[in-house]
Amino acid sequence: MVARKTVCLQRLGGNRKGELGVGRFLANKKVTTAKIVASWSEQTGPACAGLHVLAIDDTCEVKFPTTAPRRRGLGPVKKGNAYGLLVHSMIAVDGASGACLGLVGGQIWTRDGVNPTPHRERPPAERESMRWLDAAAQAKQVLQPAAMVTVVDDRESDIYAKWASVPEPGLHMLTRAMQDRRLAAGGMLFAAADAFPAAGKRSIDLRPHEPGQARRQAVVEVRYGGVEICRPQQEDRSLPRTVRLRLMEVREVDPPVDAEPLHWRLLTTHEIADAAAAWQIVGWYQLRWVIEQMHRVMKSQGLQLEDSQVTTAERLEKLAAVAVKAACIDIQLTQERDGKHQLPGSTVFTGPEMDTIEALVPTLEGSTDRQKNPHPVGSLARACWVVARLGGWNCYYKPPGPITFRRGMEQFYAIHRGRMLEMRLQRDVRIP
Ligand SMILES: [Mn+2]
């Protein structure tokens, strides 16, 4: 069971009783990581109906303290010098507003030691890179209600098999290029961009990718054009020999001396009619910061997953699966705290949960206007206000952030469970 009281379990369970509950939950063989991951996307499809959705995915490594005699069944991460789990997750983001609409899918795994077979000699199904194709397949399933889907990911996902097999009508891809590839017309991909005309300059907002980096503005120049990439030599021969794509190059003009200059080569299946369309695609790629923020919240701010003392890899995987969902909700609530996107409560909460939210409003309101819930009944923003109040936000000073929302969600679930139990008792024990 739980070896020691930990910050992580305190936060999930609230108290000693909750901690044992979480221990039981993690030990329960019927609750598998796969089942928790499958439940991530329950509310996402309906929230995406009719929209152009960016399905943004990324992998993060969660390391745990281990010692040689006690590895907890964890495999190597971080180039093999630490032990932990890998978490791959995909979120749905509204391409027009940037609002996070929930989780789409992903997977959580641990490595069995450093694989002795070089990457290129492994069959595709055994490569970790399959996760990018699997996530894209999950996007096709879960996001069927969307009008259009664009899968957005970083350099690790620049995989020929993906370019050749994933896109279909209504499902696009936007990925940062990693490989300098041969082109059907001769020459190489990276050099091709040099021949494209510059399509304009703009100042864009760069958010920090790692702690310690500062947020800054960068003036960038964009160029774009069509390319036809060739199937690599060692690639599966059943894949088409070439794939037609658009290449965009985004390069910082006069970068500051102390900063790493921005230089993105983006490949996409989208047509680029003009400079405005090119800038729109740059904007979509920039929304990748939402998943980076979610992974940061999962690892540190909200759940302190890396501090967890849970004893086995299997239970840590389940804990991580719960933490991903919790972090996604924290991001959704933080984004919607002012009602900016006018999302319905159903984006995050079930019907009965929204009833509990509404029942809590009068008990949390104060006498002044500042202390009233200003958002319409049934809206996600109205729920954000309630959860923030439960998390200790006092209606004044700075707006609530992910940590306040996490604290509030734990309170909320405890109250909601109590309320459901009370309602069941009232129904079952009919006093004449
Ligand atoms: Mn990545």
Side-chain angles (χ1 to χ4, degrees):
M1 288 294 273
V2 181
R4 240 170 64 190
K5 197 174 176 91
T6 70
V7 176
C8 189
L9 290 188
Q10 270 176 30
R11 285 174 188 223
L12 277 168
N15 53 31
R16 181 76 194 149
K17 199 162 152 251
E19 185 184 319
L20 291 174
V22 172
R24 268 202 298 274
F25 174 78
L26 296 176
N28 185 344
K29 296 273 177 218
K30 285 186 193 150
V31 183
T32 61
T33 306
K35 277 188 193 165
I36 303 171
V37 171
S39 75
W40 279 357
S41 60
E42 269 161 14
Q43 274 139 306
T44 311
C48 293
L51 302 173
H52 169 217
V53 174
L54 307 175
I56 306 176
D57 60 334
D58 201 13
T59 306
C60 81
E61 297 180 318
V62 185
K63 62 180 190 328
F64 294 98
T66 66
T67 54
R70 192 170 161 277
R71 289 279 179 241
R72 309 202 262 184
L74 292 167
V77 295
K78 312 268 181 197
K79 299 188 170 81
N81 51 18
Y83 289 81
L85 301 175
L86 292 106
V87 175
H88 189 80
S89 53
M90 176 182 266
I91 53 171
V93 170
D94 183 341
S97 71
C100 179
L101 301 170
L103 283 159
V104 177
Q107 51 188 292
I108 295 170
W109 72 102
T110 179
R111 292 183 182 129
D112 320 317
V114 178
N115 196 323
T117 312
H119 174 84
R120 295 221 179 273
E121 291 164 27
R122 275 176 251 159
E126 285 174 25
R127 293 181 196 161
E128 278 190 349
S129 55
M130 271 304 287
R131 67 189 189 270
W132 301 99
L133 283 92
D134 291 343
Q138 283 174 302
K140 283 184 189 178
Q141 277 290 317
V142 171
L143 300 177
Q144 275 175 18
M148 180 165 73
V149 174
T150 303
V151 177
V152 181
D153 32 36
D154 66 11
R155 276 187 282 199
E156 279 182 281
S157 179
D158 178 14
I159 300 163
Y160 187 82
K162 208 185 82 165
W163 291 115
S165 65
V166 170
E168 60 182 35
L171 190 118
H172 284 276
M173 280 173 32
L174 170 60
T175 300
R176 191 166 167 196
M178 170 136 81
Q179 326 261 8
D180 194 8
R181 298 175 181 279
R182 282 189 309 113
L183 297 178
M188 300 298 284
L189 179 71
F190 290 177
D194 297 335
F196 298 151
K201 278 183 207 167
R202 233 178 232 197
S203 176
I204 63 171
D205 189 15
L206 289 187
R207 292 172 189 262
H209 290 267
E210 278 152 42
Q213 277 181 346
R215 192 169 170 163
R216 67 185 181 95
Q217 294 286 311
V219 176
V220 296
E221 187 169 55
V222 69
R223 26 188 106 227
Y224 61 89
V227 288
E228 192 169 352
I229 59 170
C230 294
R231 186 180 64 203
Q233 289 287 326
Q234 70 282 7
E235 195 51 84
D236 179 357
R237 297 272 149 163
S238 68
L239 294 171
R241 294 162 72 90
T242 65
V243 177
R244 280 193 56 250
L245 297 170
R246 261 63 57 204
L247 169 67
M248 305 175 59
E249 188 171 58
V250 186
R251 196 189 274 273
E252 186 165 4
V253 184
D254 301 325
V257 278
D258 55 340
E260 194 192 331
L262 180 143
H263 184 200
W264 291 339
R265 293 185 186 96
L266 305 177
L267 283 167
T268 184
T269 54
H270 280 286
E271 297 296 342
I272 307 173
D274 50 27
W279 287 116
Q280 177 159 64
I281 294 171
V282 172
W284 292 339
Y285 188 76
Q286 282 190 280
L287 285 169
R288 276 196 70 261
W289 78 270
V290 180
I291 197 154
E292 290 175 358
Q293 188 193 22
M294 186 185 88
H295 283 158
R296 260 198 307 278
V297 166
M298 177 193 72
K299 289 210 290 193
S300 58
Q301 296 171 17
L303 286 154
Q304 305 196 351
L305 202 49
E306 293 186 349
D307 292 344
S308 175
Q309 295 291 321
V310 176
T311 46
T312 67
E314 188 202 348
R315 290 178 199 182
L316 283 167
E317 284 181 14
K318 292 187 210 175
L319 189 58
V322 172
V324 169
K325 178 70 180 179
C328 186
I329 290 175
D330 298 344
I331 296 298
Q332 290 179 276
L333 299 182
T334 305
Q335 279 191 341
E336 192 56 2
R337 63 193 175 195
D338 301 320
K340 177 164 76 168
H341 302 121
Q342 298 182 6
L343 295 174
S346 61
T347 318
V348 171
F349 296 101
T350 63
E353 286 169 350
M354 284 305 285
D355 293 341
T356 302
I357 295 274
E358 205 46 52
L360 285 168
V361 171
T363 67
L364 295 167
E365 283 185 330
S367 51
T368 68
D369 276 357
R370 282 291 289 272
Q371 299 166 320
K372 301 270 184 236
N373 191 330
H375 305 288
V377 174
S379 66
L380 183 58
R382 191 165 176 88
C384 290
W385 187 94
V386 167
V387 175
R389 293 285 290 136
L390 292 173
W393 177 62
N394 64 359
C395 305
Y396 296 95
Y397 309 115
K398 68 175 188 164
I403 296 169
T404 303
F405 281 119
R406 176 73 349 233
R407 221 182 290 136
M409 283 300 286
E410 278 143 24
Q411 295 295 320
F412 171 71
Y413 283 138
I415 294 166
H416 180 67
R417 272 194 300 269
R419 190 164 171 268
M420 290 294 102
L421 183 66
E422 201 178 305
M423 283 167 70
R424 217 173 309 138
L425 287 172
Q426 278 175 8
R427 191 191 58 205
D428 294 348
V429 188
R430 284 195 201 86
I431 300 159

